[in-house]
Amino acid sequence: MACKQTPSQTVGPFFSIGLDTLNRADISVGIDRPDRLTFRGRILDADGKPVLDAVIEIWQADPDGNYPDPAELARAREPKQFFGFGRVPTNDAGEFVFTTVKPGSVRGPDGQPHAPHLAISIFMRGLLQRLITRVYFPDEPLNDSDPVLACLPVERRPTLIAQRANSAPNELEWNIYLQGDQETVFFDC
């Protein structure tokens, strides 16, 4: 009897098995500021249909432009410390919601300031590697000189900039399009 090779398969959907404890929708914990922001959005496929089983991870600096020190976080006993990290699954409509504060500008390896942004990773069934992108804040003066945005064609930059929601001044909307005419810019890192 000859053994046949089994077909390879994509990952998932395993995001809820043992990983729910990593979910963190309030990234503002540990920052004592009244100006919290709520991000709302959807992850949509090439046909504009919602992606039901995705997870987004959010990494960000604090309002002073500093990322938390991983060594300090590992030693921290206080659960209310700012971690700069969030993890949010999409719901049955492909929607995600998280709360944060606007980070400060960080400096790149060359010392050039980057506009305030959130680093985003997307995990979902069918992806063998995560998708990496950023989301920037609307009406931010540093967007015009951000070195990452400057690398993109002008017509593609809006896919990385959140929009103010009409319903509330502290709400931002940002949809992630995986493919198609409105495809979000993703980075090879």
Side-chain angles (χ1 to χ4, degrees), residues 59-108:
W59 289 93
Q60 74 166 86
D62 67 17
D64 296 322
N66 300 308
Y67 285 98
D69 180 345
E72 287 181 24
L73 291 176
R75 290 189 301 268
R77 300 253 185 243
E78 176 59 47
K80 297 290 185 185
Q81 183 173 350
F82 177 73
F83 278 57
F85 170 78
R87 188 171 194 275
V88 183
T90 56
N91 65 16
D92 289 341
E95 300 167 329
F96 59 86
V97 177
F98 62 90
T99 303
T100 190
V101 293
K102 184 176 179 181
S105 174
V106 297
R107 299 229 172 245

Side-chain angles (χ1 to χ4, degrees), residues 126-146:
L127 290 179
L128 297 178
Q129 294 183 355
R130 67 185 170 144
L131 297 174
I132 300 169
T133 191
R134 286 182 168 190
V135 60
Y136 290 85
F137 294 81
D139 306 319
E140 170 56 50
L142 286 176
N143 285 351
D144 294 334
S145 61
D146 182 84

